[in-house]
Amino acid sequence: MPAPHYQLIKQADQILSKCGRPISSFPGQNIVPFQHGILIQGTVGNDNTFVLTKEIPGDVPFLLRAIQAPSPTGLYINLQLPNGKYLFNREQEISQFQGIGSFRYVIDPEWECPPGSTFELTLDNSVVPSGGTVGLVLMLEGALKYSVKGKNPAIQDRQLSVSDLPRYVKNPNQNILAPAWMQGYYPNTPDSCEDSIFTYGDGNLNFTTMNVGTGPYSATQQINISSDSDFICSRALFDVRQVVGGSSPAGTFLARLRAGSGYSLMDDLIDVAQYINGSPFAHSWHIKAGDQVFVDLQLVDFSGSGSLTIETYLDGLKRKRR
Amino acid sequence: MKLSHSMQERHWDYVLGPPRLDLDADWSGQSVLASVASGQEIIGIPLNLDLDAPFLLRSLAVRCAYPVDNVGCTKTQPLDSLYMRFTGPVGDYFQQDFVPLNLFLSFFGQLGNPRAVFREVQYPAAGAIKVDLLNNGTTTLKNVSIYFRGVKLFPWGRRQAYTYPERMKTNPFNYPLTVSSLGVKQVIRNIQFQNVQDADFVVRSSQGGLNETTGTVFEIFFKFKDENQYPYSNVPVHADVLFGQASNESPNTFNCGGTQIQAFETGPGNPGLWYPEIYIPRQHSLFYDVYRDDSLYGCAATVNYPFTLNGAKVWPL
């Protein structure tokens, strides 16, 4: 099979997509982004300001997608983009903006910067003078945008097909940063049912005290599911506490959750407080109305004297038929 | 763009407590909650909802005042001893019994981590939420506040509803703001934020916190209002709940297993979100009140308090 033939495009007109985003008018053009980072570093003296300039290298545009920076105390910064616009209204106190790794400052939509244009970074150590020289290393992260004319039909016109996707939102001002639950979107409730939040745990049958000196070291808790509704359990909560008055009692509660119907959530006892406490289940546990959940407990690796308590809660949804 | 909702959603925080600061009347007429003593159980504290709109509850948060006698002015709220349950629109409890809040809410819903109510609860206008509280610890919890966060529902056109133009271009943008020379005990009302840039601005999140080498802020509250002075909360909301946490701010620590752990995965990358976002056309305004009462804290001082409105510029095309 002959190798795909690609041709680097260095100049082409742009038109606006249906979303108003500038895209190439060149038929069959594809964008190949190469990851690239531009490092800016400098220092600024006490009670002083300093402006750093950094030019976009190479012969293709740079797509600015994120900024990573540490957080020197007392430093204010502002970043002027190559088109002359600033990222902030005025110097920004850096600790409210900086981030690294998953917590980097994201530029979305990406900002296309022509080759040869410049970023200007203002460091301001005069708003709250730190008392000494402050250094900053800031990384402009993104990609170099290579435009190619190719013959791979699988990636033809990708920009157009994405912008054509319909969007369904509850509100014009939805906030694209907000998670689904904040917008009122959830997995569908089955027809003829209604869901409401609920947390099981009556403070009695779900509560166990174990004395680390005398035992017994095993017990079974019980949580009775209401007979009027199924329960969609999305997480389990385990509250482990020391009883005041002992001599630093310590130990690990192992537990196994199982339903009266015979279904067991785990095949052996595990350290539930450490491994699954409060974390959402990958798949909800559907427990039938009127069923019971048993929590088999065992206390291991105990030391000291006195007592430990464990209280178990099931958090999720009551599902009633209308 | 297709709309699937027949009503306009508008960000709203209902706060149960704390008792009004003695220097302001904004809390008057609101449900308040004072200290919860060691071992005290309080049943049926009512939070009366406003008359003008139904409320969709989508998340929760809780906090109490920082202890005055804390060592080194660290920020630790002894909330691990607080248990709660609350009711739905017809007085039905959502918890079988008291639930410990240290399990129920990560970071107690603060620092940009509201606890999701993972099936929204619709309360009618003029409805009520009843809250039961139990302090199972040995310390009195001062100024306990329960935050019910979500949206109010209005018929379209009832409230200001600026939004995006049909065709537009956006760019990330932050508005850094500073409350200058904020005294240890001070209220500043109706500070105007005007969008004087070259484009519309949409507020999607906010971040706040002090980055100074001297002074620490403990009890600071904000109340945001649109340009018609209609607020986004019934009473001022504490910065710990409304904002995230700036990375250089005095860190919040939380009681855990007999020790204190520092909040992790919070900070600038995890700001407090606004839902729905607030759209401010060019030359239009947003207003806010600031309340601070740190008069009991020895290491508090007059500060320039910085916070940021994060979002995007919007240019019509």
Side-chain angles (χ1 to χ4, degrees):
Chain A
M1 191 174 70
H5 175 70
Y6 294 112
Q7 177 187 354
L8 184 65
I9 301 170
K10 292 198 172 180
Q11 194 168 5
D13 291 333
Q14 288 190 323
I15 58 173
L16 296 180
S17 72
K18 288 181 180 177
C19 292
R21 185 172 294 190
I23 60 171
S24 171
S25 63
F26 210 113
Q29 178 181 335
N30 297 298
I31 304 300
V32 180
F34 273 43
Q35 186 177 2
H36 192 73
I38 297 174
L39 203 63
I40 305 180
Q41 50 190 336
T43 59
V44 57
N46 186 41
D47 201 8
N48 213 336
T49 61
F50 189 65
V51 179
L52 290 159
T53 303
K54 193 77 175 182
E55 186 177 315
I56 308 293
D59 57 356
V60 294
F62 174 68
L63 304 174
L64 176 61
R65 291 174 173 170
I67 300 174
Q68 298 202 51
S71 182
T73 302
L75 188 64
Y76 282 62
I77 70 165
N78 203 350
L79 185 68
Q80 189 177 19
L81 301 165
N83 64 359
K85 296 184 184 304
Y86 284 94
L87 195 57
F88 312 131
N89 175 44
R90 57 172 172 78
E91 275 76 34
Q92 158 91 309
E93 195 274 305
I94 192 168
S95 76
Q96 295 182 23
F97 143 81
Q98 62 79 224
I100 56 174
S102 300
F103 301 99
R104 70 192 78 175
Y105 184 82
V106 175
I107 308 284
D108 184 21
E110 64 196 11
W111 198 267
E112 185 169 328
C113 310
S117 60
T118 55
F119 289 99
E120 281 198 1
L121 176 67
T122 304
L123 306 178
D124 191 340
N125 191 9
S126 66
V127 180
V128 185
S130 62
T133 299
V134 174
L136 177 69
V137 179
L138 182 140
M139 169 124 107
L140 304 172
E141 200 177 3
L144 293 173
K145 177 185 176 184
Y146 288 92
S147 302
V148 296
K149 182 184 179 186
K151 291 185 178 176
N152 184 350
I155 55 173
Q156 296 280 330
D157 298 329
R158 180 176 291 168
Q159 292 182 53
L160 281 177
S161 59
V162 170
S163 62
D164 282 346
L165 288 173
R167 299 178 69 200
Y168 294 88
V169 296
K170 274 189 168 182
N171 195 308
N173 297 354
Q174 56 172 356
N175 195 344
I176 202 165
L177 303 178
W181 58 262
M182 196 176 269
Q183 306 179 44
Y185 287 112
Y186 315 101
N188 287 337
T189 300
D191 291 341
S192 75
C193 292
E194 62 180 33
D195 291 342
S196 64
I197 56 170
F198 199 75
T199 307
Y200 274 104
D202 63 3
N204 184 22
L205 296 174
N206 66 329
F207 182 85
T208 300
T209 302
M210 289 191 189
N211 189 301
V212 299
T214 61
Y217 301 112
S218 63
T220 298
Q221 296 177 342
Q222 182 178 329
I223 296 172
N224 296 323
I225 304 301
S226 171
S227 58
D228 66 346
S229 55
D230 291 354
F231 186 61
I232 312 300
C233 182
S234 57
R235 60 180 189 154
L237 310 172
F238 304 91
D239 189 25
V240 179
R241 297 184 185 240
Q242 294 175 335
V243 176
V244 175
S247 173
S248 302
T252 300
F253 279 107
L254 304 181
R256 171 175 51 211
L257 274 68
R258 57 184 172 87
S261 64
Y263 180 81
S264 180
L265 195 64
M266 53 270 282
D267 68 352
D268 202 349
L269 298 139
I270 64 170
D271 184 351
V272 285
Q274 180 159 338
Y275 291 123
I276 67 168
N277 195 4
S279 58
F281 297 159
H283 189 285
S284 297
W285 182 15
H286 192 142
I287 307 167
K288 292 291 185 184
D291 203 346
Q292 295 165 320
V293 173
F294 297 99
V295 185
D296 300 325
L297 291 168
Q298 199 172 345
L299 182 65
V300 298
D301 298 336
F302 46 83
S303 62
S305 64
S307 298
L308 296 171
T309 66
I310 180 169
E311 198 163 6
T312 306
Y313 302 86
L314 301 179
D315 193 29
L317 298 169
K318 270 189 170 182
R319 177 161 292 171
K320 287 184 183 173
R321 295 204 174 274
R322 291 198 189 107
Chain B
M1 186 180 291
K2 300 181 179 180
L3 296 180
S4 61
H5 210 292
S6 57
M7 305 279 278
Q8 179 193 353
E9 297 183 337
R10 190 178 184 282
H11 182 100
W12 190 261
D13 293 331
Y14 273 114
V15 189
L16 176 60
R20 51 178 288 198
L21 300 176
D22 58 359
L23 38 68
D24 184 75
D26 246 34
W27 276 271
S28 63
Q30 301 287 345
S31 303
V32 296
L33 180 60
S35 299
V36 183
S38 169
Q40 187 178 9
E41 183 177 305
I42 310 175
I43 302 295
I45 312 160
L47 171 63
N48 298 319
L49 308 186
D50 290 345
L51 308 177
D52 61 350
F55 174 65
L56 291 180
L57 172 65
R58 289 185 178 157
S59 62
L60 294 167
V62 62
R63 81 174 295 278
C64 69
Y66 294 111
V68 174
D69 57 348
N70 57 50
V71 179
C73 288
T74 55
K75 293 182 169 181
T76 303
Q77 302 162 39
L79 282 167
D80 59 328
S81 61
L82 190 64
Y83 289 60
M84 183 181 88
R85 61 179 178 175
F86 67 96
T87 64
V90 292
D92 50 328
Y93 280 103
F94 288 134
Q95 293 80 26
Q96 192 176 10
D97 196 15
F98 288 104
V99 177
L101 294 180
N102 64 331
L103 289 182
F104 205 53
L105 299 93
S106 301
F107 305 129
F108 302 101
Q110 303 173 27
L111 312 182
N113 287 277
R115 196 275 188 185
V117 176
F118 201 61
R119 277 298 187 278
E120 63 189 14
V121 182
Q122 180 166 347
Y123 292 89
I129 305 173
K130 288 195 175 178
V131 178
D132 298 352
L133 287 175
L134 167 67
N135 180 0
N136 201 26
T138 56
T139 311
T140 295
L141 302 176
K142 189 182 173 193
N143 288 0
V144 172
S145 312
I146 315 293
Y147 294 85
F148 296 91
R149 313 192 71 187
V151 297
K152 273 187 174 181
L153 293 178
F154 293 98
W156 285 101
R158 271 280 299 280
R159 301 241 62 96
Q160 186 185 82
Y162 296 117
T163 190
Y164 299 93
E166 274 295 307
R167 298 168 69 87
M168 81 288 182
K169 178 181 177 183
T170 64
N171 187 41
F173 192 74
N174 290 6
Y175 256 111
L177 302 167
T178 302
V179 185
S180 301
S181 303
L182 180 62
V184 167
K185 185 171 183 176
Q186 189 176 5
V187 175
I188 309 175
R189 288 192 187 83
N190 284 327
I191 304 174
Q192 183 176 5
F193 160 73
Q194 189 174 17
N195 175 24
V196 293
Q197 285 288 318
D198 57 341
D200 298 348
F201 179 59
V202 59
V203 183
R204 291 173 175 159
S205 64
S206 47
Q207 182 62 271
L210 205 60
N211 186 22
E212 296 189 9
T213 50
T214 58
T216 301
V217 175
F218 295 91
E219 299 301 309
I220 182 168
F221 302 82
F222 285 80
K223 186 176 186 178
F224 282 86
K225 299 174 278 190
D226 64 23
E227 60 190 6
N228 296 324
Q229 296 288 312
Y230 191 83
Y232 290 95
S233 60
N234 62 335
V235 298
V237 177
H238 195 279
D240 286 345
V241 175
L242 193 62
F243 302 149
Q245 184 185 39
S247 62
N248 284 339
E249 190 181 14
S250 298
N252 289 58
T253 57
F254 295 90
N255 290 338
C256 179
T259 184
Q260 272 105 42
I261 58 169
Q262 190 172 326
F264 57 95
E265 294 192 349
T266 60
N270 200 4
L273 295 179
W274 293 88
Y275 183 83
E277 56 200 6
I278 302 172
Y279 194 95
I280 308 171
R282 190 179 169 199
Q283 303 300 340
H284 285 246
S285 298
L286 187 71
F287 291 85
Y288 58 96
D289 304 337
V290 183
Y291 305 76
R292 184 185 180 205
D293 187 357
D294 285 344
S295 52
L296 299 177
Y297 300 91
C299 50
T302 297
V303 296
N304 297 320
Y305 188 84
F307 70 99
T308 307
L309 301 177
N310 306 325
K313 278 185 178 180
V314 182
W315 288 277
L317 291 175

